[in-house]
Amino acid sequence: MIKNDIRFNLRHEVLKTVAENEYNGTLDRETIDSIPFNIIPGTTAKFRCCVYKEREIIRQRVRLAMGHLPIPINNAEHIEMKKHIIQVIPAACEGCPINRFQVTENCQNCMQQACKKACAFDAISITPRGAYIDQTKCRECGKCSEACPYHAIADLMRPCKRSCDVNAIVIGSDRIARIDTDKCIVCGHCVTGCPFGAISDVSQIRDVVAALKDPNREVIAIPAPAAEGQFGPNVTIGRLKTALKKAGFDRVYETALGGDLVSMHEAKELIEHKKEGKKMTTSCCPAFVNLIQKHYPNLMEYVSTTVSPMQGNVRYIQEKHPGAYIVFVGPCIAKKHEAEMLEAPDAVITFEELNALFDALKVNPEECEEEIEADATSYGRRFSSTGGVSASVVKAAAEVGVEGITAKVCSGVKECKIALAMLKAGKLAEDIIEGMACENGCIAGPGSIAMLNQLKAARLKKIKDKDDDSITDMLEKMEATEVDMVRKSFDAPSK
């Protein structure tokens, strides 16, 4: 079941239209200008204050779909725009004109006056009608809300800010949300957290379509392990491979193969760390790595130098198919940032974008035949869910003769921050931290398009009764034992 969400449907229509016209060679200025009118016809508004605002939002979405910022940097409105994977769509942001803490009608005007006593800024006064918050004095500490015995003070934090666990969403004087790129870890939680769909990622779907149309380019897709069940409960990775080839991709390799590569290399790296009495963290989730790099820089020495499964696959393919155009497909927006930092692969699109591409090219994965040949173990496929990475590393360590590896499994940014604080304080009992920025793991990423229960069921089918899979044997079968898996740097390229 695909997400039933108006925000998703509008994004889908824009992405599909851009992909369709790019493929047909009709994405000229006149077509681009007509897209908002085709998607929002007539003169009656459906979602916003007026049809003109709705069309302006679509126009800015079209720019994102084409790989541009929602409005030019040198825009006439003088709205600050920064180049970043995640963008706030100015026309779509409602400004949410709300004060965070507000006294509701549940206030009983009680004699205890706990709210007033709890406020260190003298922002609360007691009136005949109940408590009153002077918003000019309020510092949004939340003590009044915690103190009220009737829970009569509501916490109305803007959804985008609430979704961000690293405080990267800032509100300007114009009430429009902005992203502090120095703090942002590109997890994409704000993209799904905004009820108006006012935050989105820059797309590379147009570049992918152009590559598919080029008869002189070999184009290879590497779908993430979270692909199982994304396009229907019965759409396995085997059917998705067939669908991708129908869409024009010449070859398809599971990113789960990169997971097997990571499992073996990271296990050997962890074994060396353990011998030296050192702790380690995983490095496959780019948002988790960004969290450490930006918010816990003193802990970078503990981050595994093993590249992510995506990078492992890219390196494997570059050896087998030099010059190929490689496209990662997954649920993760942070992978776009990782690709930008490491200058590989050539493009990253989410399952949401692939779904639009399939619709544009009239490819239905549910009607595709199953490709039987496997190019990864069930352990590589476990990377899609919380606990899967550490389970795979433990298995790989056992295959090289080391038992007793322990892992601190973290599901979501909040848990990651707690584990990192323990590591910083020297109180981490486990050998390795498995950090996943998304709760439940990659299957709950912002680029996923199916319901979580469907994705969990599909994943379980794929790994059930396969605990005896051999990572060593699979890497030998795929001739992947010599792939260089060391990450040279965590910094952006100099250019």
Side-chain angles (χ1 to χ4, degrees):
M1 180 170 60
I2 303 297
K3 288 179 181 175
N4 180 22
D5 191 315
I6 293 172
R7 300 170 303 166
F8 174 83
N9 295 339
L10 288 174
R11 287 198 303 265
H12 178 79
E13 281 302 311
V14 171
L15 289 165
K16 173 190 163 188
T17 303
V18 168
E20 200 170 47
N21 282 282
E22 178 66 31
Y23 192 81
N24 295 330
T26 55
L27 196 61
D28 54 22
R29 173 49 57 192
E30 185 175 350
T31 299
I32 293 168
D33 289 342
S34 69
I35 291 174
F37 294 89
N38 293 332
I39 293 178
I40 308 290
T43 58
T44 304
K46 296 180 181 178
F47 318 112
R48 300 300 184 109
C49 59
C50 65
V51 72
Y52 309 106
K53 182 166 187 174
E54 292 179 350
R55 287 184 185 138
E56 176 59 18
I57 293 169
I58 297 298
R59 187 183 74 83
Q60 293 181 15
R61 280 206 165 279
V62 170
R63 288 182 58 86
L64 283 169
M66 293 176 62
H68 306 313
L69 301 184
I71 56 177
I73 289 180
N74 297 319
N75 59 85
E77 296 87 354
H78 303 293
I79 297 173
E80 182 185 7
M81 299 298 297
K82 291 183 179 179
K83 291 184 178 179
H84 192 54
I85 298 299
I86 299 176
Q87 292 286 328
V88 176
I89 301 171
C93 183
E94 285 294 290
C96 297
I98 56 177
N99 297 308
R100 179 172 174 183
F101 291 98
Q102 295 187 19
V103 180
T104 70
E105 60 183 14
N106 288 334
C107 179
Q108 301 298 305
N109 201 7
C110 66
M111 296 169 64
Q112 183 182 359
Q113 300 184 358
C115 56
K116 179 178 173 64
K117 294 173 185 175
C119 181
F121 307 103
D122 196 28
I124 296 184
S125 57
I126 306 300
T127 74
R129 300 181 63 182
Y132 169 78
I133 300 176
D134 184 344
Q135 299 296 339
T136 62
K137 295 181 179 179
C138 179
R139 295 296 179 268
E140 298 189 348
C141 66
K143 296 296 184 182
C144 59
S145 182
E146 295 172 6
C148 177
Y150 293 99
H151 304 289
I153 300 179
D155 183 354
L156 301 175
M157 183 190 291
R158 287 172 65 151
C160 55
K161 284 181 68 70
R162 192 185 297 279
S163 70
C164 182
D165 291 315
V166 294
N167 299 316
I169 300 289
V170 295
I171 309 302
S173 57
D174 56 2
R175 290 289 205 171
I176 300 297
R178 289 178 176 80
I179 297 171
D180 184 342
T181 55
D182 292 332
K183 293 181 179 179
C184 178
I185 62 174
V186 205
C187 63
H189 296 163
C190 56
V191 173
T192 54
C194 176
F196 284 96
I199 307 177
S200 191
D201 51 315
V202 179
S203 178
Q204 292 181 297
I205 194 170
R206 191 182 181 191
D207 297 333
V208 173
V209 172
L212 292 174
K213 288 176 61 180
D214 188 344
N216 299 316
R217 298 215 74 165
E218 182 180 24
V219 187
I220 298 176
I222 49 174
E228 295 283 346
Q230 290 283 350
F231 299 91
N234 299 315
V235 179
T236 61
I237 190 67
R239 286 190 174 186
L240 182 59
K241 285 182 178 180
T242 304
L244 285 163
K245 289 175 182 177
K246 279 191 174 184
F249 289 91
D250 298 294
R251 299 176 189 272
V252 182
Y253 288 96
E254 290 185 59
T255 303
L257 172 61
D260 288 331
L261 284 163
V262 167
S263 300
M264 187 57 69
H265 190 275
E266 202 158 74
K268 292 176 180 177
E269 186 181 5
L270 178 57
I271 290 167
E272 292 302 314
H273 273 247
K274 192 169 182 178
K275 284 179 183 177
E276 298 171 9
K278 290 171 151 185
K279 306 294 183 180
M280 200 172 91
T281 82
T282 57
S283 58
C284 53
C285 172
F288 176 61
V289 173
N290 291 341
L291 174 67
I292 299 174
Q293 192 169 27
K294 292 188 176 185
H295 298 272
Y296 301 86
N298 293 335
L299 300 182
M300 283 300 293
E301 62 176 296
Y302 298 101
V303 180
S304 168
T305 59
T306 303
V307 296
S308 70
M310 177 177 79
Q311 298 300 329
N313 251 35
V314 168
R315 294 183 180 188
Y316 171 80
I317 293 168
Q318 286 173 338
E319 289 181 6
K320 302 290 183 182
H321 308 279
Y325 187 92
I326 305 172
V327 181
F328 174 82
V329 186
C332 182
I333 290 175
K335 284 296 183 188
K336 295 185 178 186
H337 180 261
E338 180 189 329
E340 189 178 86
M341 293 298 99
L342 300 183
E343 301 181 298
D346 298 284
V348 172
I349 59 174
T350 61
F351 290 129
E352 181 179 21
E353 290 166 311
L354 180 60
N355 186 45
L357 180 61
F358 279 157
D359 276 5
L361 303 181
K362 297 178 173 54
V363 175
N364 185 352
E366 293 186 293
E367 297 175 354
C368 291
E369 295 181 2
E370 179 89 13
E371 186 174 307
I372 303 299
E373 188 67 22
D375 50 18
T377 70
S378 67
Y379 284 94
R381 291 170 180 145
R382 292 171 204 232
F383 273 57
S384 63
S385 291
T386 299
V389 177
S390 52
S392 303
V393 170
V394 169
K395 176 67 164 63
E399 288 187 17
V400 296
V402 177
E403 304 280 354
I405 298 292
T406 58
K408 177 72 173 177
V409 176
C410 301
S411 177
V413 176
K414 285 186 176 71
E415 289 189 10
C416 289
K417 290 169 73 174
I418 293 170
L420 291 171
M422 292 171 65
L423 175 61
K424 186 176 181 179
K427 296 182 179 180
L428 183 73
E430 294 82 3
D431 301 313
I432 186 171
I433 296 174
E434 179 198 299
M436 289 281 196
C438 294
E439 293 182 13
N440 293 295
C442 303
I443 56 174
S448 284
I449 59 173
M451 304 305 290
L452 188 59
N453 58 349
Q454 177 174 299
L455 298 175
K456 285 183 175 180
R459 174 187 179 275
L460 185 61
K461 285 181 184 178
K462 204 65 180 176
I463 67 173
K464 189 177 180 181
D465 300 326
K466 292 187 178 179
D467 290 347
D468 293 332
D469 276 4
S470 170
I471 297 172
T472 303
D473 290 349
M474 179 57 73
L475 294 180
E476 289 177 353
K477 171 194 166 186
M478 297 299 294
E479 300 178 348
T481 55
E482 301 300 320
V483 177
D484 177 13
M485 293 295 290
V486 178
R487 181 168 181 162
K488 305 301 187 291
S489 173
F490 287 97
D491 298 322
S494 58
K495 74 177 184 179

